[in-house]
Amino acid sequence: MSVIAVERIKLFSTRSPWWCMIVAAVLSVGLSALLTGLAANDDVTVFFTQAGVSLSRMVIMVMAALAITTEYRFGTIRTSFQAIPNRTSMLLGKTAVVAGLAGLVGLVASFGAWAVGTVFAGSADMAIDTGAEWRMVAGQGLVYAIAAVIAVAVGALLRQSAGAVALLVLWPLAVESLVSLIPKVGDDLSRWAPFANADSFIIQAQDFGAAAGEGGMGTFALSPWAALLYFAAWAAGLLAIALFVTNKRDA
């Protein structure tokens, strides 16, 4: 528990987590108010309120990566390793703190966006009634936490803030989309991309025409909860590689 306490103090002693959390909240709540306010009441669903949450997730991934890369940038990682010689313990403690904070921010962002959207939606029915709607709102916390684990692993592997941030932004936005352009196998490969499955967990069976029927699989490779487990497996695999590399190379 002392490792957790130390990592919590280190995380909140810098400004970047605070700024990232503020930006994440503004993006999710602001876009929710904008879209629900401009849309006709009859067209507004819970889905409308969550339009900015995926952008907020990227901001939190940046925060998670910076939590490790800034230590390498300023050389404080050496002090951390001297204070906690067990590098695995240190990195796991940092990951737990960052993932926990990311999950909390995800819940605040999603429920905050839904609450603000409900105000701007007027007479539209914004109640969270179905399992799919609960997954879209409450499930954001799980996705944020797992995405933060991936971000910490990438940061530990690259050790450079610019490179880690660029990869984490381009991976879900561009790389996974470009995979679908590969002839013959692109569409099949893109269905197994990690962030595509994270989105699959969130959006399957929502009432906006993206999924095939009541709980249907449509173009998704896995069912919602299997997709989340697949996304978590990517996070666990990357973290395992990061732990191995961190223990093998010099700080």
Side-chain angles (χ1 to χ4, degrees):
M1 292 304 293
S2 60
V3 175
I4 299 291
V6 168
E7 293 301 330
R8 176 180 54 81
I9 293 169
K10 285 197 294 184
L11 180 65
F12 287 107
S13 64
T14 59
R15 295 180 180 178
S16 58
W18 298 102
W19 280 112
C20 287
M21 287 188 286
I22 291 171
V23 171
V26 170
L27 280 174
S28 57
V29 173
L31 283 176
S32 172
L34 180 64
L35 290 179
T36 53
L38 293 177
N41 285 348
D42 292 340
D43 297 330
V44 174
T45 64
V46 173
F47 167 72
F48 272 74
T49 68
Q50 302 300 302
V53 176
S54 59
L55 293 176
S56 299
R57 184 179 70 203
M58 287 188 194
V59 175
I60 296 304
M61 288 174 65
V62 169
M63 178 200 75
L66 291 177
I68 181 71
T69 58
T70 50
E71 288 211 55
Y72 281 102
R73 178 184 175 188
F74 294 108
T76 57
I77 192 70
R78 296 185 184 91
T79 305
S80 295
F81 287 155
Q82 288 173 353
I84 307 173
N86 188 332
R87 297 185 178 188
T88 298
S89 244
M90 192 279 289
L91 189 55
L92 287 178
K94 183 182 293 292
T95 303
V97 170
V98 173
L101 177 62
L104 179 61
V105 172
L107 290 175
V108 172
S110 58
F111 278 100
W114 169 76
V116 170
T118 301
V119 173
F120 282 86
S123 60
D125 181 12
M126 299 296 290
I128 305 175
D129 295 322
T130 67
E133 290 171 342
W134 275 108
R135 204 172 61 243
M136 165 158 276
V137 181
Q140 298 287 357
L142 294 173
V143 173
Y144 269 57
I146 296 170
V149 174
I150 290 177
V152 171
V154 169
L157 289 169
L158 297 185
R159 302 200 293 186
Q160 297 291 330
S161 297
V165 169
L167 177 59
L168 291 169
V169 170
L170 292 175
W171 184 353
L173 282 181
V175 175
E176 291 192 356
S177 299
L178 291 175
V179 168
S180 63
L181 300 178
I182 300 174
K184 296 183 180 180
V185 298
D187 289 339
D188 290 331
L189 288 176
S190 64
R191 296 170 63 196
W192 292 98
F195 286 97
N197 277 273
D199 292 335
S200 166
F201 166 72
I202 294 295
I203 68 176
Q204 276 195 62
Q206 299 296 336
D207 184 21
F208 55 89
E214 184 74 22
M217 289 286 290
T219 58
F220 302 115
L222 299 167
S223 63
W225 287 100
L228 182 69
L229 289 175
Y230 177 76
F231 185 50
W234 268 84
L238 285 172
L239 183 59
I241 295 171
L243 288 170
F244 176 80
V245 172
T246 300
N247 279 290
K248 288 296 181 181
R249 69 185 177 190
D250 294 335

